[in-house]
Structures are given as C-alpha cells and as structure tokens.
Amino acid sequence: MLANLINNIAFLVALVAAGQMAISRAHKKPLQGQIVLGLLFGAVALLGMANPVNLSPGVFFDGRSIVLAVAGVVGGGLPAAIAAGVAAVYRYQLGGSGAAVGIAVVLLSALLGVLARQWWQRRTHPPQAADYFALGVVVQLMQLLVFTQIPNNAGYPFIRQAWWMLLLSYPLATMLLCMMFRNYEQQLIDKETLQAAQAARTAEEHASLQRFHAYFDQSIVGLAITSLNKGWIDVNDALCTTLGYTRDELTRMTWADVTHPEDLGPDLAEFNRMLAGEINGYTMDKRFIHKEGHAVYTRLAVSHVRKPDGKLDYVVSMVEDISERYRAQQALETERAHLHTLVSTIPDLIWLKDTKGRYLSCNPAVEFFFGAAESEIVGKPDHDFVPADLADSFRRYDHAAVAADGPTRNEEWVTYAGDGRRVLLETTRVPMRTTDGRLVGVLGIGHDITDRTEHQKQLEHIAHFDILTGLPNRALLADRLQQALAQAQRHHRMLVVAYLDLDGFKSVNDQYGHEAGDHLLTALSGRMKRALRESDTLARLGGDEFVAIFLDLPNVESSVPLLTRLLAAAGEVVYDSGHALRVSASLGVTFYPQAEEIDADQLLRQADQAMYQAKQMGKNRYHFFDSENDRSVRSHHEHLKRIQQALEAREFVLYYQPKVNMRTGEVMGTEALIRWQHPERGLLPPAAFLPVIADHPLAIALGDWVLDTAMSQIEAWKAAHLALPVSVNVDAIQLAQPHFVDRLRQLMAAHPALVAGDLELEVLETSALDDIAHASSVILACGEMGVGFALDDFGTGYSSLTYLKRLPADLLKIDQSFVRDMLDDPDDLAILEGILGLSKAFQRGVIAEGVETLEHGQLLLRLGCELAQGYAIAPPMPAESIPVWLATWRPDPSWRNQAPISRDDLPILFASVEHRVWIKQVDGFVRGENGTWPSLEPERCRIGQWMKAEAHVRQVHCVAIEALKPLHLEIHALAGELIRLQQDGHQEAAVAQLPELYRLRDRLLSNLLDMLRPSNVAETAAV
C-alpha cells in the first residue's frame, strides 16, 4: 500500500515538469494553454488511478485528489473541469462498488481547488504556503469523509491504516506542488514584465530620437550641433535658409567663418567661458554673414551637452532670424524721432498721461503752459501745476474719455503760466490701449480756439441779427419759432405769433428820405422790444415787417394786453432833424396749438393773412386768425369722402367685447364695436371717425353695415355650434329714421338663422330722449321681433323718472366713466349706487361698462351688480378670437366669493373711497402738485365721522372700530409729519415716506372691508 502511495507521489512530481510547459503555453495562448493544462492534469490523475491502493474488490485509493485540487488552484475553472471530467469518466469505466464515491472525490477535489483560487484572488495579498497546506488538509478531510460512504464499510480499514499519511503527506504534497507552480508562473510573469519594460524603453528611446529629429529637421528656427572646435556637425534646413548655404557647405565650415567680424569677439568670449565651465550657456544678438554677403541679424542661444563621464561632448545652438524685427525696430525708431520732431514743433498742447493721471510725456507747448520742463512734469498730476478746480476738471474729462472708449472733445478756459494769457482751449482726449485692450493712459491735444470762437460769434451775429435794428432776422426767427413750438408742446401752454406791418412807412421814406426811415425803424424797434416781456421775441423780416412771438400764455385772451402795448409802441412819435415822425401798425395774430397739426411756416402764413385782414378793417388794430373755421372748411368734406371710400372698400371691421356674469362666469353675450382698419394709419377707434359723420346720412349706411355684419357673425358662430348673442350700437340719426323697423326686419329676413334673443340694440340715453315717443315705439316693435334693447351710457343724460318709466328698455348700461372712477370719486360711487337702486325700482336689468381692474369687479359685486364688461374681463377682439377666449375664460376667485353687502354697510364703502381721495390729496401736496392739503384732524375725515356715528347709533362694529382707531390715528400722524417736512423744505424726505403712508392706507382699507357683512335675502334680489 505504501509503495503505491509513493508511486502516486512520484506521478505528482512528474506533473510539475509537464505543468510548467503547459503554463508557459497558457501565457502565450491562454485558451489553448488552459485546455492543454487541463488535459495534463487529467492524464496525471489517470496515471495515479492506474496505480491505486486496492482496499477491496472495486474499492481502491490513489492521489487524484491532490492532482485535481492543484488543477483548480493553478488553472482555474476550465482546466479543473477538463481534468475532473477525464478522471471522472475513467473512474466510471473502472466500475466497482466505490465508483460513485471515487467520482465524488474527483469532482469535489476540483471544486475545492477552484473555490480556493477565487477566494485568494479576492484578497489583497497572494496565498502563502500555509494556505496551500490548509487546502490540502481540507481536501483530504473531504476524501476521508467520502470514504465512509463506501458500501459495506470497505473504506474504514484504509482510513484506520492511512489517515495520518493522508493528513500529513498529501497536504504537504499539495502545498509543494502549488508553491512550485506559483513560483514558476511568477517567474514567467516577471520575465514578461521585464521584456515589456525593455521593449517600452526601447520604443521610448526610438520615439524620443524621432521627436528630436522631427523637431530638429522641421523647426522654423535654425538649429545646429557644433563641435568644441566650432565646426558644424549638423544643421537643419531653417539654418541653411537663414544663412544661404547648403548643409554640406556649412558642415565643412566653422561658425566663426560666417560670423560678422564685429560680433566674433563677444561670441568667442562667451563660448570660451562656457568651455571653461564658468557658464552653462549664453544668449546674444549676433550678426552672421549671408552667403550673398549681407548681414543677417539673429538671436543666438547656445548650450553644451556632456558625456556620461561629465566631459563636454558637443554644443547645441539655436539661431533665430530677427532681421525683419530689427528692421522694424529701426523704422520705428526713425518714425519715433520724426514724430517727436513733429510734436515738438506743433503749437498745440500734446500730452500723454497714465491711468492715474500722471504725465508720461508732453511737448514744448505743454512745458510753456505749465511753466516747467518736461522732466519736471513727467510723473506728476495736474494738481501740481494748476488750481484744484481746473485739475479736477481735467481729471473728469480724462475719466469721460475712458468711459466713452473713444475720442471726446471739451472746451476749457485756461491761463498760461508762461505769459499769463487766458485762452479757450478745445481739448481732445483719446484713451490709449494695448492690442489686447489693456488701458495704458489718455492722450490729450489742446488747441487754442479763442480767436476762432470770437470770429464765429461775430459771424453768427451777422447771420442771425438784422444789421439796422439789431433784432433777430428771418433765419433766427425760424429757429426761435421752432424752439417755441417745442416748448409749448412740453409745457402744454399756448404760443401766440403776431405779424406786424407799419402803416404809412412808405410815406415817411418818400417825404423825409431813407435815413429818416432807418432812424424811425431803429427807434420803433427798440420801443416795441421794450414793450414785450423778456421771454418774448421780436424779429424783423425786412422793410417795415416784424414778427413777435409770445411764449407761455394760458389762453389767447391773455395776449391782448401784449398786443395793445405793441400797437402803442409802434404808434409813438419819433423825432428826426426837427420832424415828428409817426406811423401805426396792423397786427395779424394766430396761436398754437390748434386742432390739427401745424408747422412754423403755416403759422407765419396764418398770421400774415390775419394782418391783411386787419389792414382791410381800418389799420392800427389786431385781428385773430380763425383756424377752426379754416380747418373745418378744408377738411370736413375730405373726411366724409374718405369714410365713404372706406365703407366701399370694406376697410371697416367689427370687434367683439364679451359681457359676463362676474360671479358665475356665465358669458351673456358680446358687444359689437366698429373699428377702421386704415391702410396707412392702422386700426382706428370709433372716436377717430364717427364724430365726422354725426348727423350725416353716411352714419345710416355705416349703421346698416354694422347690423348686417353682426347678424352674419351670429350665423357663423351658430354654424360652429356657438350660441352667443350680440348687441349693436344704433346711432341717433339711424334710430330716428321712419323706416328703421322695416329696414331691421329686412336685414333679419336675410339672416334666417337668427332667433329671439340673438340680437340686442343699444341706444344712447340722450338719443332716446330726443323723441321719447318714437323711441318707445321702436323698442316695442323690435321686442316683437325678438330684438332686445338697452340704454347705453346710462346716467350721462338728463332723463327724469317719468322718461325712464316710459322707455321699455330691458337693460341699463352704466356709463364707464362712473365705473372707472368709483374707486377714487365718492360722487361717481354715489351715482352708480343710485343707478342700481333705480334698476331695482323699475325692475330693469343693469350691466356695468369699464370694469378695468379686479377691484372694480369686487366693488360692483358688493353693490349687487353682477353683469359687466371691460378690460379686466376681456378687451374687444376679432371674431375669430372669441372661441379661444371662451375656452380659457374663468372669473377671478375673488369675484366668485364676493357676496353683496348689507345696505347698512354702504357708509363703509363711501368712507373707503373718500379715504383714498384724502390720501391722494396728501400725496399731491407732498409732491408739490397742489398747494393745499386736506384736513388733518382725525375726527373730521369721513372715516373718523363714520366711526363716531357707528359707535353712537348702531354699535355693530364696536370691537373692530376700537381696533381700527390706533391705525387711523397713525395714518393722520404720518400724514401730518409728511406735510410738515414738505413745508420745511424737506420734500425728498417726505416723498421717501409716502410708500409707508400707502401701506398703512391699504391696511386700513383691508380692515374696513373685513367689516362688510352679506346682505339679507331681500337685499340680494337679482338686479
């Protein structure tokens, strides 16, 4: 038995030699090597099983467990699987009662080896000898355990006889085999790593050599390798190009042969110092001699290379051709010298400052200005030479030039330190920057323009003033008139132009001569000018014609005293050579602005025309130009004709504004509103053209077009499954037509899809009152056709309750002026509340126009008015936009939740509105917009009065009022403080606190609105 065991161990030793060859193959060809390794381990396992220890017939023992475990550790899964497969098949063919146990030993041994390999690979350090020995112990314990399963207890005799051998020698053999395989594999790995490192080093050296040759040969800078004796060893193409020689020619020369004689000495000195070890290299500017004989300017950089023993080997030189740069520098120096000569001879002041305002350079003119030499000026700021205010001015102009990033010009009065002259300088400053945009400083040029300015003033005076009288001439008058027009537009004040012609001046010239006439003109010009205000203008057009411009007048009538004084001045006696000269004047007067746009030339023509009217009326008087009559005569017919053309060209369009129930969100219908799609002026509102056709038959034609178009739109919407009533405004002249009802019936017959309720007509309250009987009959007739009627702009007319009772209109439309201003005007709020009361009393529907904000809607709902239209709901829009709007329309949540308030709480609303007015009055005084302020006594304001009355009469809001009083007093105290600040001249501080005043106001109003209580059932009857 022991002999067989020893034989098995011998097979294992043979396995090592064969395994090493397989492992070598596995490193070269991994898959093929693993297969060979697996077959090798399987073959050794077969040899072991061929020399077993026979325990009993069909039961034997061998060293396969060692082989297969080592196969799992050394080769991994694939070799272990192959070896285990070979061994298992062979054991199966051998048969016997222990075949199953033998196969189990085969498979479990290989599995344990693979598992151990995987476990060790997960660790941070490789397995040691103890790990391999432990694996052998585990494998043999497994084998002993499996032997207990051999039938008929055939394995127990072997266990008792050889257990110590298994647990001692076989784990030791496992350890030795694993260590030998691991050591051999590590040797292979180390060898491959060494070979790879050597190959990488060789490749790097090769690549480095290639890079060097690439750099050396392709460099655009000349490169050379020279010997210690100055001979060229190798040169690149760039150096050959620079010097004009071929490579062969240069390598047969030394660099001293081509060095400029004047530069050879310095170069040799540095070269010898480097050879002596005093320096490692040197750089210098040097001239070489080109093959063609001219000098080549270069930048030379030289360094040496040593041998491994430290001795000098060769010298490397880099030669950069800087000839172009040298020539550019020379040209720049020449140009700089020329520029310096030029700047020095220019009489203008020229200087350059740095970013801190210190002088960098200047020309002699600046030296004379400061009374100091350039060397004394450079490095110092302006404060060292001129007064502080002038130096500060210079610095501001420098900063302005930098901020503008371009040239800036200024005019500055300065005094020369050299001779004390005071001159006007026109200075130009330019920020100086580098090519990358960095600011270097500011360049300044100062030119004396004193004489030019004086001459220019003389020329301007001659060009703009009359030589004889000294008054502005026609050219200056045109400029003054343009300025006056602009000022009138800005200040919203009136401008008056008077055209004056002297009566009888020709007789003076004929009788006394032109000198007397000139004397008369000169004297009267002075007197007329003194008769005007300082802000007015009197100009002479030529001859005896003058024009006066009166500025900043509140109205035309205020010009009468000025015109009267002007006539009186023109009529005063002038004495000349003992003769009393007297004339009168005729004045034509016009004004600006007028109803239509007008320019300066038109104003002068109007005034001239009015002046002739004054002469025809007897002279020595003034006459006003009638611009309104002139305008209306010229333009009314043209406007009517253009509107007729627009109707024929179908330039009119209808926009539609929705009408809704603000609480429920229900859309009640739309109002058709006409617009003019003007080809040049764009979309025009009704106010731009309807007043022109008022009381004109064209209004009837346009009204018929509106009715027909609205009916067509109703049918179009119905075809799109959209039932939306439309209301149409009817003009008074159209409603007054005897056949209006018949015409409406014809139009409806042309649109058979219309049913009762689809169309509503809106008529102005004032129009219905012109003929109430006719209006009532039309309303009743339309009602029979299913057409509703509404009184538009209700509240703006003068109807009595009797008229309202007689007019069978279904709906009252509250004029938008009341709705728009009800938040800030207690009177409008009172009118609106009264109209709502009338609608309830007469059982009429009511709708509010002009709901432009959420606050308008909330207040209307509190008053019990639910129907409304306005921009807070929707603006007028084209018909095609209505379906899109309907899909997205939702009433504001604050409207849905707003209930009508009790009538007993109406005083709270009125108090809130009047408080807004009070705050606005305080604001207006603080901002200087009005000269008075409201009462500051808390008890006298509307809220104070309401709180006092509420506390004594109803006592419903006692707790809330008590909480409100401190806030009310705080508002009055702050308002008083702001008014005092304004009175003391601290308006800016007062205005700064206005936001706090409005914040307190909003808190007060919010608290007041929180007191409002919903009305009872009787008060919430539908309006």
Side-chain angles (χ1 to χ4, degrees):
M1 178 183 300
L2 292 176
N4 288 335
L5 289 175
I6 293 172
N7 288 337
N8 276 277
I9 292 174
F11 292 137
L12 296 179
V13 173
L15 172 64
V16 174
Q20 289 178 350
M21 293 187 293
I23 290 174
S24 298
R25 180 178 294 274
H27 274 270
K28 297 177 181 178
K29 297 180 179 180
L31 179 60
Q32 182 178 350
Q34 287 188 341
I35 293 173
V36 171
L37 188 62
L39 293 174
L40 175 62
F41 277 102
V44 173
L46 291 182
L47 290 175
M49 287 187 289
N51 296 278
V53 176
N54 293 311
L55 302 179
S56 63
V59 179
F60 45 84
F61 172 77
D62 52 60
R64 80 190 80 158
S65 61
I66 299 176
V67 175
L68 295 173
V70 172
V73 171
V74 174
L78 181 58
I82 294 173
V86 172
V89 171
Y90 181 73
R91 182 62 187 88
Y92 177 76
Q93 291 177 349
L94 292 178
S97 60
V101 172
I103 293 173
V105 169
V106 169
L107 298 178
L108 289 175
S109 298
L111 178 61
L112 289 172
V114 172
L115 291 176
R117 175 188 176 92
Q118 292 181 349
W119 180 42
W120 292 331
Q121 287 178 342
R122 290 190 180 94
R123 296 193 312 186
T124 57
H125 57 277
Q128 304 299 318
D131 296 321
Y132 295 136
F133 187 84
L135 172 63
V137 172
V138 171
V139 171
Q140 297 313 314
L141 287 175
M142 174 275 296
Q143 186 169 227
L144 291 174
L145 181 63
V146 173
F147 276 8
T148 62
Q149 303 302 316
I150 297 175
N152 301 321
N153 297 322
Y156 281 98
F158 176 78
I159 293 172
R160 285 191 294 271
Q161 182 179 358
W163 66 268
W164 59 271
M165 178 69 72
L166 291 177
L167 293 179
L168 179 61
S169 61
Y170 274 34
L172 185 60
T174 302
M175 179 188 71
L176 292 175
L177 287 175
C178 288
M179 290 294 291
M180 286 188 288
F181 277 113
R182 192 192 73 175
N183 291 339
Y184 183 73
E185 185 175 11
Q186 187 62 44
Q187 291 175 1
L188 292 177
I189 293 173
D190 293 344
K191 181 180 179 182
E192 291 176 355
T193 301
L194 180 60
Q195 291 175 345
Q198 291 175 343
R201 186 164 52 253
T202 302
E204 176 61 26
E205 291 175 354
H206 181 69
S208 177
L209 185 59
Q210 286 184 327
R211 286 194 300 270
F212 172 76
H213 281 294
Y215 172 75
F216 187 84
D217 294 334
Q218 299 177 16
S219 175
I220 60 175
V221 178
L223 297 175
I225 300 175
T226 63
S227 67
L228 303 183
N229 296 322
K230 309 179 207 55
W232 304 98
I233 298 175
D234 195 5
V235 295
N236 67 350
D237 293 338
L239 183 60
C240 294
T241 302
T242 299
L243 300 181
Y245 292 95
T246 65
R247 190 180 300 234
D248 290 340
E249 289 173 335
L250 284 177
T251 54
R252 291 195 297 270
M253 306 168 67
T254 68
W255 53 260
D257 297 335
V258 292
T259 298
H260 193 282
E262 295 179 2
D263 296 337
L264 180 60
D267 193 1
L268 285 174
E270 293 297 307
F271 186 79
N272 292 330
R273 287 182 62 204
M274 182 181 68
L275 296 184
E278 297 178 12
I279 56 175
N280 293 325
Y282 61 93
T283 60
M284 62 183 300
D285 289 342
K286 171 183 173 180
R287 287 169 292 177
F288 283 98
I289 302 300
H290 193 273
K291 185 177 181 180
E292 295 178 355
H294 61 269
V296 179
Y297 293 86
T298 67
R299 181 67 176 171
L300 176 67
V302 181
S303 63
H304 59 72
V305 177
R306 295 183 181 275
K307 298 178 181 179
D309 59 1
K311 295 181 179 180
L312 293 181
D313 190 1
Y314 55 88
V315 176
V316 177
S317 300
M318 181 172 67
V319 182
E320 180 185 3
D321 187 353
I322 60 170
S323 299
E324 291 295 331
R325 187 192 312 169
Y326 177 80
R327 284 190 286 272
Q329 288 177 344
Q330 290 297 108
L332 183 61
E333 290 296 330
T334 303
E335 183 178 351
R336 184 177 298 165
H338 292 164
L339 180 60
H340 183 268
T341 302
L342 178 64
V343 169
S344 299
T345 56
I346 290 177
D348 290 343
L349 283 72
I350 302 176
W351 68 89
L352 179 64
K353 297 179 186 177
D354 63 15
T355 56
K356 295 183 178 180
R358 295 171 302 200
Y359 283 90
L360 297 174
S361 63
C362 65
N363 70 341
V366 177
E367 293 179 325
F368 184 71
F369 171 64
F370 283 146
E374 182 180 14
S375 59
E376 299 172 326
I377 297 173
V378 171
K380 297 178 181 179
D382 292 305
H383 287 82
D384 289 356
F385 304 101
V386 296
D389 56 345
L390 185 59
D392 292 340
S393 176
F394 287 170
R395 190 61 175 154
R396 284 196 303 273
Y397 293 149
D398 292 343
H399 289 163
V402 173
D405 200 20
T408 59
R409 287 181 174 83
N410 306 98
E411 293 183 0
E412 309 163 54
W413 283 99
V414 299
T415 302
Y416 272 75
D419 57 5
R421 284 185 299 123
R422 184 163 177 79
V423 300
L424 179 62
L425 283 183
E426 181 186 63
T427 59
T428 301
R429 288 172 170 82
V430 182
M432 305 297 291
R433 298 183 182 276
T434 60
T435 55
D436 60 356
R438 182 174 59 84
L439 181 66
V440 175
V442 177
L443 173 67
I445 302 174
H447 179 65
D448 184 356
I449 60 171
T450 308
D451 295 338
R452 187 183 74 184
T453 303
E454 291 298 326
H455 183 61
Q456 183 177 356
K457 287 181 179 179
Q458 295 174 2
L459 292 177
E460 287 178 354
H461 188 272
I462 295 173
H464 294 99
F465 290 89
D466 180 57
I467 297 177
L468 177 64
T469 63
L471 295 176
N473 61 11
R474 186 183 296 272
L476 183 55
L477 172 67
D479 181 66
R480 294 272 182 92
L481 189 52
Q482 289 292 347
Q483 295 180 21
L485 292 175
Q487 181 176 335
Q489 291 175 344
R490 286 196 305 271
H491 297 169
H492 304 289
R493 302 280 283 180
M494 184 156 287
L495 164 71
V496 171
V497 177
Y499 199 110
L500 183 148
D501 184 85
L502 297 178
D503 305 322
F505 178 74
K506 184 176 183 300
S507 299
V508 172
N509 264 340
D510 293 343
Q511 184 175 356
Y512 300 105
H514 290 287
E515 290 185 2
D518 290 346
H519 177 68
L520 176 63
L521 287 176
T522 303
L524 292 183
S525 296
R527 294 174 182 178
M528 289 189 293
K529 181 174 177 60
R530 288 191 293 272
L532 304 183
R533 301 171 302 173
E534 186 176 351
S535 60
D536 299 332
T537 295
L538 179 66
R540 183 189 179 206
L541 297 183
D544 59 350
E545 294 181 336
F546 299 82
V547 171
I549 302 174
F550 303 112
L551 295 172
D552 201 27
L553 297 177
N555 48 54
V556 177
E557 290 76 13
S558 62
S559 67
V560 171
L562 298 173
L563 298 172
T564 303
R565 292 205 303 267
L566 191 60
L567 284 175
E572 292 182 2
V573 176
V574 175
Y575 294 95
D576 179 70
S577 301
H579 301 291
L581 309 179
R582 181 192 294 271
V583 294
S584 63
S586 296
L587 284 174
V589 185
T590 188
F591 59 90
Y592 178 88
Q594 299 179 12
E596 63 182 10
E597 194 65 30
I598 189 170
D599 59 24
D601 290 338
Q602 290 174 307
L603 281 175
L604 289 176
R605 286 196 295 270
Q606 289 179 356
D608 187 22
Q609 182 179 342
M611 183 269 294
Y612 280 107
Q613 292 291 326
K615 283 186 177 293
Q616 292 175 2
M617 295 169 63
K619 302 181 180 180
N620 193 24
R621 68 188 65 236
Y622 57 83
H623 178 74
F624 284 100
F625 179 78
D626 190 348
S627 61
E628 182 62 27
N629 180 65
D630 180 72
R631 182 193 62 80
S632 60
V633 170
R634 286 186 293 103
S635 66
H636 187 69
H637 179 71
E638 297 177 359
H639 289 166
L640 287 174
K641 184 178 179 180
R642 181 64 185 89
I643 293 174
Q644 179 67 47
Q645 293 173 348
L647 184 60
E648 294 171 356
R650 306 185 68 82
E651 294 177 5
F652 292 102
V653 295
L654 288 185
Y655 273 45
Y656 298 86
Q657 186 174 37
K659 301 185 290 187
V660 304
N661 185 308
M662 294 184 290
R663 190 185 309 282
T664 65
E666 179 184 2
V667 180
M668 313 305 297
T670 64
E671 179 180 2
L673 301 169
I674 192 169
R675 300 287 188 269
W676 185 357
Q677 189 63 59
H678 198 284
E680 292 86 23
R681 298 167 60 191
L683 191 68
L684 302 181
F689 55 90
L690 289 185
V692 179
I693 62 174
D695 298 325
H696 191 277
L698 190 55
I700 300 174
L702 188 60
D704 287 346
W705 176 86
V706 172
L707 283 169
D708 183 62
T709 304
M711 293 179 189
S712 299
Q713 187 57 56
I714 293 173
E715 289 185 314
W717 278 336
K718 284 194 171 187
H721 307 289
L722 183 62
L724 200 60
V726 176
S727 59
V728 177
N729 291 281
V730 179
D731 192 82
I733 188 174
Q734 187 177 15
L735 184 69
Q737 295 301 304
H739 306 295
F740 172 75
V741 175
D742 294 335
R743 176 59 179 158
L744 181 63
R745 187 177 289 109
Q746 292 174 1
L747 290 173
M748 294 186 67
H751 300 281
L754 268 68
V755 299
D758 284 346
L759 181 66
E760 180 183 67
L761 302 182
E762 296 184 8
V763 61
L764 291 176
E765 177 190 4
T766 51
S767 301
L769 297 178
D770 290 341
D771 188 346
I772 193 168
H774 176 71
S776 297
S777 64
V778 170
I779 293 174
L780 291 173
C782 290
E784 294 175 358
M785 291 186 292
V787 178
F789 247 91
L791 284 181
D792 198 9
D793 295 347
F794 188 77
T796 58
Y798 302 95
S799 58
S800 66
L801 298 182
T802 302
Y803 285 166
L804 182 59
K805 179 180 178 181
R806 292 176 57 190
L807 283 174
D810 305 312
L811 188 67
L812 304 181
K813 296 193 72 175
I814 304 174
D815 184 62
Q816 61 180 333
S817 63
F818 304 133
V819 177
R820 183 176 57 249
D821 298 333
M822 66 181 179
L823 295 175
D824 300 301
D825 191 331
D827 294 335
D828 284 342
L829 179 62
I831 293 172
L832 190 143
E833 198 273 331
I835 293 174
L836 293 176
L838 285 176
S839 68
K840 291 180 181 178
F842 286 93
Q843 297 182 344
R844 305 292 174 87
V846 64
I847 183 171
E849 294 182 296
V851 178
E852 298 181 355
T853 66
L854 295 178
E855 290 78 7
H856 285 107
Q858 292 169 354
L859 184 52
L860 286 170
L861 289 168
R862 291 189 180 105
L863 293 173
C865 179
E866 296 184 353
L867 304 185
Q869 68 183 93
Y871 277 74
I873 299 166
M877 63 188 77
E880 57 269 20
S881 300
I882 288 291
V884 179
W885 177 85
L886 288 172
T888 59
W889 155 247
R890 299 291 185 278
D892 191 84
S894 65
W895 289 357
R896 287 186 178 274
N897 301 326
Q898 187 61 63
I901 66 169
S902 169
R903 291 189 60 81
D904 294 335
D905 288 340
L906 283 177
I908 298 179
L909 287 183
F910 282 93
S912 300
V913 172
E914 292 197 13
H915 186 65
R916 286 176 178 267
V917 176
W918 186 84
I919 291 291
K920 280 192 172 182
Q921 291 172 345
V922 174
D923 184 291
F925 178 78
V926 170
R927 296 184 187 274
E929 297 170 358
N930 51 48
T932 60
W933 62 89
S935 173
L936 297 177
E937 298 180 17
E939 297 80 6
R940 295 186 60 183
C941 76
R942 182 61 181 267
I943 290 182
Q945 294 174 359
W946 170 78
M947 289 193 296
K948 183 177 180 181
E950 188 73 15
H952 285 83
V953 179
R954 296 176 58 207
Q955 299 183 350
V956 176
H957 302 295
C958 291
V959 176
I961 289 175
E962 288 301 320
L964 199 63
K965 285 181 179 179
L967 179 58
H968 181 231
L969 293 175
E970 184 179 357
I971 291 175
H972 275 265
L974 179 57
E977 174 63 21
L978 299 186
I979 290 173
R980 282 191 292 273
L981 285 172
Q982 165 68 328
Q983 290 175 326
D984 293 341
H986 304 299
Q987 182 184 22
E988 185 175 349
V991 171
Q993 296 188 54
L994 282 176
E996 175 63 15
L997 182 65
Y998 279 99
R999 187 186 68 81
L1000 295 176
R1001 181 206 67 176
D1002 293 341
R1003 281 182 53 197
L1004 180 68
L1005 294 180
S1006 176
N1007 292 342
L1008 283 174
L1009 295 180
D1010 289 342
M1011 297 181 192
L1012 298 175
R1013 297 164 299 151
S1015 64
N1016 55 35
V1017 175
E1019 289 179 322
T1020 55
V1023 176

